[in-house]
Amino acid sequence: MRVAGVIRYTVLLLTLLGTWLMLQTYFQRSWRTISLRSWLGATKKPSSEKLPRYKCGNQKSCPQNYFAFKIISGAANVVGPSICFEDLVLMSNVKNNIGRGLNIALVNGTTGQLLKTDAFDMYSGDITKLQTFLQGIKRGTLVLVASYDDPATKMNDKVRAYFTELGSSDVATLGFRDNWVFLGAKGLMNKSPFEKHIKNDKETNKYDGWPELLEMEGCAPRKMD
Ligand SMILES: *[C@@H]1O[C@H](CO)[C@@H](O)[C@H](O)[C@H]1NC(C)=O
């Protein structure tokens, strides 16, 4: 009984091995990716994984005295935005600190330390809450903004003026369901180079009712004085 069992298993094993070898040879090219070696994790990793990784997953590294950042707007009303600064995700779905409307992170422009984050509902929210928030920003603060779903229904001239003061150009024309990503600073004397805006436009929208998401990465100068 035991001997018969051993023989039966051996035959079964040999049959399986034989079949596998035949298939391997037959489909060698197309099956290369699922060869036994790769199943065992022995294959070499693709060389692309050896490329250096920069902060926030950006394509370039930042020089000294610059902060790496990446801001991604929401996609339609489905995928939330994210804000990364010096390789730290400050706001995201996973962090559970985002919301529909405008997502804003404040960072100390000298030390790079996170001061606070908040999300402001721009469709049905309390706009004075955003006014108070913007009014309280101190000189030398970096302001990172990502839109989600609708950034502008409740927008008013006072809030537009605050964002303009932070270096925004596009806030003037920001409308219902536009996408907007922006990095500015309090005390900035000119327009910020870090801004992207895409209008909600039936003709060009990627999603039904919303434009495609915006992604912006770069290096923001540290404020030194
Ligand atoms: C940034 O941090 C420095 C050092 O702690 C502090 O002196 C300065 O007031 C801070 N600035 C802002 C805008 O928070």
Side-chain angles (χ1 to χ4, degrees), residues 105-217:
L106 302 183
V107 171
N108 184 315
T110 310
T111 63
Q113 274 193 319
L114 176 66
L115 299 173
K116 60 174 134 173
T117 67
D118 213 337
F120 301 89
D121 183 344
M122 298 298 284
Y123 185 74
S124 54
D126 176 14
I127 192 72
T128 53
K129 192 184 134 202
L130 176 55
Q131 249 166 246
T132 310
F133 180 89
L134 293 172
Q135 200 167 16
I137 298 176
K138 292 205 212 101
R139 278 183 73 87
T141 304
L142 289 174
V143 183
L144 296 85
V145 184
S147 68
Y148 183 23
D149 187 8
D150 171 38
T153 295
K154 288 263 175 143
M155 183 65 81
N156 62 26
D157 287 346
K158 203 159 183 182
V159 167
R160 283 189 212 274
Y162 280 128
F163 279 119
T164 305
E165 203 187 319
L166 296 171
S168 170
S169 315
D170 293 322
V171 74
T173 54
L174 200 63
F176 176 64
R177 287 188 179 173
D178 289 359
N179 273 336
W180 181 43
V181 288
F182 169 68
L183 183 148
K186 180 78 174 217
L188 198 69
M189 283 303 139
N190 18 44
K191 292 291 164 202
S192 167
F194 307 117
E195 182 167 39
K196 284 187 182 178
H197 175 211
I198 185 167
K199 296 293 289 177
N200 164 21
D201 180 344
K202 277 203 297 281
E203 305 298 314
T204 55
N205 279 350
K206 175 164 183 182
Y207 306 106
D208 194 21
W210 291 266
E212 70 180 309
L213 66 81
L214 291 176
E215 194 171 329
M216 175 173 71
E217 61 180 61

